[in-house]
Coordinates of all heavy atoms in Angstrom, one line a residue:
E1 N 67.6 108.2 58.0 CA 68.8 109.0 58.3 C 68.9 109.3 59.8 O 67.8 109.4 60.5 CB 68.7 110.3 57.5 CG 68.8 110.1 56.0 CD 68.9 111.4 55.3 OE1 69.0 112.5 55.9 OE2 68.8 111.4 54.0
G2 N 70.1 109.4 60.3 CA 70.3 109.9 61.7 C 70.4 108.9 62.7 O 70.7 109.2 63.9
R3 N 70.2 107.6 62.4 CA 70.3 106.6 63.4 C 71.8 106.3 63.7 O 72.6 106.3 62.9 CB 69.6 105.3 62.9 CG 68.1 105.3 63.0 CD 67.5 104.0 62.5 NE 67.9 102.9 63.4 CZ 67.7 101.6 63.0 NH1 67.1 101.4 61.9 NH2 68.0 100.7 63.9
Q4 N 72.0 106.0 65.0 CA 73.4 105.6 65.4 C 73.6 104.2 65.1 O 72.7 103.4 65.0 CB 73.6 105.9 66.9 CG 73.4 107.3 67.4 CD 73.5 107.4 68.9 OE1 72.4 107.3 69.5 NE2 74.7 107.5 69.4
A5 N 74.9 103.8 65.0 CA 75.3 102.4 64.8 C 75.3 101.7 66.1 O 74.9 100.5 66.2 CB 76.6 102.3 64.1
F6 N 75.8 102.4 67.2 CA 75.9 101.8 68.5 C 75.4 102.8 69.6 O 75.3 104.0 69.3 CB 77.4 101.4 68.9 CG 77.9 100.4 67.9 CD1 78.7 100.7 66.9 CD2 77.7 99.0 68.2 CE1 79.3 99.8 66.0 CE2 78.2 98.0 67.3 CZ 79.0 98.4 66.3
W7 N 75.1 102.3 70.8 CA 74.8 103.2 71.9 C 76.1 104.0 72.2 O 77.2 103.5 72.1 CB 74.4 102.4 73.1 CG 73.1 101.6 73.0 CD1 72.9 100.3 72.8 CD2 71.8 102.2 72.9 NE1 71.6 100.0 72.7 CE2 70.9 101.1 72.7 CE3 71.3 103.5 72.9 CZ2 69.5 101.3 72.6 CZ3 69.9 103.6 72.8 CH2 69.0 102.5 72.7
D8 N 75.9 105.2 72.7 CA 77.0 106.0 73.2 C 77.4 105.5 74.6 O 76.9 106.0 75.6 CB 76.6 107.5 73.3 CG 76.5 108.1 71.9 OD1 77.2 107.6 71.0 OD2 75.7 109.1 71.7
A9 N 78.3 104.6 74.6 CA 78.7 104.0 75.9 C 79.6 104.9 76.7 O 79.6 105.0 77.9 CB 79.3 102.7 75.7
V10 N 80.5 105.6 76.0 CA 81.4 106.5 76.7 C 81.0 108.0 76.6 O 80.8 108.5 75.5 CB 82.8 106.4 76.0 CG1 83.8 107.3 76.7 CG2 83.3 104.9 76.1
L11 N 80.7 108.6 77.7 CA 80.2 109.9 77.8 C 81.4 110.9 77.7 O 81.3 112.0 77.1 CB 79.4 110.2 79.0 CG 78.1 109.4 79.2 CD1 77.4 109.7 80.5 CD2 77.2 109.7 78.0
W12 N 82.5 110.5 78.4 CA 83.7 111.3 78.3 C 84.9 110.5 78.9 O 84.6 109.5 79.6 CB 83.6 112.6 79.1 CG 83.1 112.5 80.6 CD1 81.8 112.6 81.0 CD2 83.9 112.3 81.7 NE1 81.7 112.4 82.4 CE2 83.0 112.3 82.8 CE3 85.3 112.1 82.0 CZ2 83.5 112.1 84.1 CZ3 85.7 111.9 83.2 CH2 84.8 111.9 84.3
S13 N 86.1 110.9 78.7 CA 87.2 110.2 79.2 C 88.3 111.2 79.6 O 88.3 112.3 79.0 CB 87.8 109.2 78.2 OG 88.2 109.9 77.0
K14 N 89.2 110.8 80.5 CA 90.3 111.7 80.9 C 91.6 111.0 80.9 O 91.7 109.8 81.2 CB 90.0 112.2 82.3 CG 88.9 113.1 82.5 CD 89.2 114.5 81.9 CE 88.0 115.5 82.1 NZ 88.3 116.8 81.5
S15 N 92.6 111.7 80.5 CA 94.0 111.1 80.5 C 94.7 111.7 81.8 O 94.9 113.0 81.8 CB 94.8 111.5 79.3 OG 94.3 110.9 78.2
L16 N 94.9 110.9 82.8 CA 95.5 111.4 84.0 C 97.0 111.3 84.0 O 97.6 110.6 83.2 CB 95.0 110.5 85.2 CG 93.5 110.4 85.3 CD1 93.1 109.4 86.4 CD2 92.8 111.7 85.5
Q17 N 97.6 112.1 84.8 CA 99.1 112.2 84.9 C 99.8 111.0 85.6 O 100.9 110.8 85.4 CB 99.5 113.5 85.6 CG 99.1 114.8 84.8 CD 99.5 116.0 85.5 OE1 100.0 116.0 86.6 NE2 99.4 117.2 84.8
S18 N 99.0 110.3 86.3 CA 99.5 109.1 87.0 C 98.4 108.1 87.2 O 97.2 108.4 87.0 CB 100.1 109.5 88.4 OG 99.1 110.1 89.2
V19 N 98.7 106.9 87.5 CA 97.8 105.8 87.7 C 96.8 106.0 88.8 O 97.3 106.3 89.9 CB 98.5 104.4 87.9 CG1 97.5 103.3 88.1 CG2 99.4 104.1 86.7
P20 N 95.5 106.0 88.6 CA 94.6 106.2 89.7 C 94.5 105.0 90.7 O 94.5 103.9 90.3 CB 93.2 106.4 89.0 CG 93.4 105.6 87.7 CD 94.8 105.8 87.3
Y21 N 94.6 105.3 92.0 CA 94.5 104.3 93.0 C 93.1 103.9 93.2 O 92.8 102.7 93.6 CB 95.1 104.8 94.3 CG 96.6 104.8 94.4 CD1 97.4 104.7 93.2 CD2 97.3 105.0 95.6 CE1 98.7 104.7 93.3 CE2 98.6 105.1 95.6 CZ 99.4 104.9 94.5 OH 100.8 104.9 94.5
S22 N 92.1 104.8 93.0 CA 90.7 104.5 93.2 C 89.9 105.4 92.4 O 90.2 106.5 92.0 CB 90.3 104.6 94.7 OG 90.6 106.0 95.1
V23 N 88.6 104.9 92.1 CA 87.6 105.7 91.4 C 86.3 105.5 92.2 O 85.8 104.4 92.3 CB 87.4 105.2 89.9 CG1 86.3 106.0 89.3 CG2 88.7 105.4 89.1
I24 N 85.7 106.6 92.6 CA 84.5 106.5 93.5 C 83.5 107.5 92.9 O 83.8 108.6 92.6 CB 84.8 106.9 94.9 CG1 85.9 105.9 95.5 CG2 83.6 106.8 95.8 CD1 86.4 106.3 96.8
V25 N 82.2 107.0 92.8 CA 81.1 107.8 92.4 C 80.4 108.3 93.6 O 80.2 107.6 94.5 CB 80.1 107.0 91.4 CG1 79.0 107.9 91.0 CG2 80.9 106.5 90.2
S26 N 80.0 109.6 93.6 CA 79.3 110.2 94.7 C 77.9 109.6 94.9 O 77.4 109.0 93.9 CB 79.2 111.7 94.6 OG 78.4 112.0 93.4
P27 N 77.4 109.6 96.1 CA 76.0 109.0 96.3 C 75.0 109.5 95.4 O 74.1 108.7 95.0 CB 75.8 109.3 97.8 CG 77.1 109.4 98.4 CD 78.0 110.1 97.4
D28 N 75.0 110.8 95.0 CA 74.0 111.3 94.1 C 74.3 111.1 92.6 O 73.6 111.5 91.8 CB 73.7 112.8 94.4 CG 74.9 113.7 94.2 OD1 75.9 113.2 93.7 OD2 74.8 114.9 94.5
G29 N 75.5 110.6 92.4 CA 75.9 110.3 91.0 C 76.4 111.6 90.3 O 76.7 111.5 89.1
Q30 N 76.5 112.7 90.9 CA 76.9 113.9 90.3 C 78.4 114.1 90.1 O 78.9 114.9 89.3 CB 76.3 115.1 91.0 CG 74.8 115.1 91.0 CD 74.2 115.2 89.6 OE1 74.5 116.0 88.8 NE2 73.3 114.2 89.3
Q31 N 79.2 113.4 91.0 CA 80.6 113.6 91.0 C 81.3 112.2 90.8 O 80.8 111.2 91.1 CB 81.1 114.2 92.3 CG 80.8 115.7 92.5 CD 81.5 116.2 93.7 OE1 82.1 115.5 94.5 NE2 81.3 117.5 93.9
I32 N 82.5 112.3 90.3 CA 83.4 111.1 90.3 C 84.7 111.6 90.9 O 85.3 112.6 90.6 CB 83.7 110.6 88.8 CG1 82.4 110.1 88.3 CG2 84.8 109.5 88.8 CD1 82.5 109.6 86.8
M33 N 85.2 110.8 91.9 CA 86.4 111.1 92.6 C 87.5 110.1 92.2 O 87.3 108.8 92.3 CB 86.1 111.0 94.1 CG 87.3 111.3 95.0 SD 86.8 111.7 96.7 CE 85.9 110.2 97.1
T34 N 88.7 110.5 91.8 CA 89.8 109.7 91.5 C 90.9 110.1 92.4 O 91.1 111.3 92.8 CB 90.2 109.8 90.0 OG1 90.7 111.1 89.7 CG2 89.1 109.4 89.1
S35 N 91.9 109.2 92.6 CA 92.9 109.5 93.6 C 94.3 108.9 93.2 O 94.3 107.9 92.5 CB 92.6 109.0 95.0 OG 92.6 107.6 95.0
T36 N 95.4 109.6 93.6 CA 96.7 109.1 93.5 C 97.2 109.0 94.9 O 96.5 109.2 95.8 CB 97.6 110.0 92.6 OG1 97.7 111.3 93.3 CG2 96.9 110.3 91.2
S37 N 98.5 108.8 95.0 CA 99.1 108.7 96.4 C 99.2 110.1 97.1 O 99.3 110.2 98.3 CB 100.5 108.1 96.3 OG 101.4 109.0 95.5
S38 N 99.0 111.2 96.3 CA 99.1 112.5 96.9 C 98.0 113.5 96.5 O 98.0 114.6 97.0 CB 100.5 113.1 96.5 OG 100.6 113.2 95.1
R39 N 97.1 113.1 95.7 CA 96.1 114.0 95.2 C 94.8 113.3 95.0 O 94.7 112.1 94.6 CB 96.5 114.8 94.0 CG 97.3 116.0 94.2 CD 97.5 116.8 92.9 NE 98.1 118.1 93.2 CZ 98.3 119.0 92.3 NH1 98.0 118.8 91.0 NH2 98.8 120.2 92.6
V40 N 93.7 114.1 95.2 CA 92.3 113.6 94.9 C 91.7 114.6 93.9 O 91.7 115.8 94.2 CB 91.5 113.5 96.2 CG1 90.0 113.1 95.9 CG2 92.1 112.6 97.2
Y41 N 91.2 114.0 92.8 CA 90.6 114.9 91.8 C 89.1 114.6 91.8 O 88.6 113.5 91.9 CB 91.1 114.5 90.4 CG 92.6 114.8 90.2 CD1 93.5 113.8 90.6 CD2 93.1 116.0 89.7 CE1 94.9 114.0 90.5 CE2 94.4 116.2 89.5 CZ 95.3 115.2 89.9 OH 96.7 115.4 89.8
L42 N 88.3 115.7 91.7 CA 86.9 115.6 91.6 C 86.4 116.1 90.3 O 86.8 117.1 89.8 CB 86.2 116.5 92.7 CG 86.5 116.2 94.2 CD1 85.8 117.2 95.1 CD2 86.1 114.8 94.5

């Protein structure tokens, strides 16, 4: 009992208000940066 069927590949997901122009992971891996033409989200 308790075994998973698959690995947990997706830790979390976000629905953004517009198409992201870029996705960048910080050097220490603690942040993810996404951007549009007018905003940057951390």
Side-chain angles (χ1 to χ4, degrees):
E1 294 183 9
R3 283 179 65 192
Q4 296 174 269
F6 298 97
W7 295 108
D8 287 333
V10 179
L11 298 180
W12 53 266
S13 62
K14 290 288 180 181
S15 295
L16 305 179
Q17 296 181 349
S18 58
V19 177
Y21 283 13
S22 61
V23 178
I24 304 174
V25 179
S26 64
D28 63 3
Q30 298 300 305
Q31 287 186 357
I32 293 178
M33 179 165 57
T34 62
S35 69
T36 66
S37 61
S38 60
R39 278 189 167 184
V40 177
Y41 297 86
L42 299 179

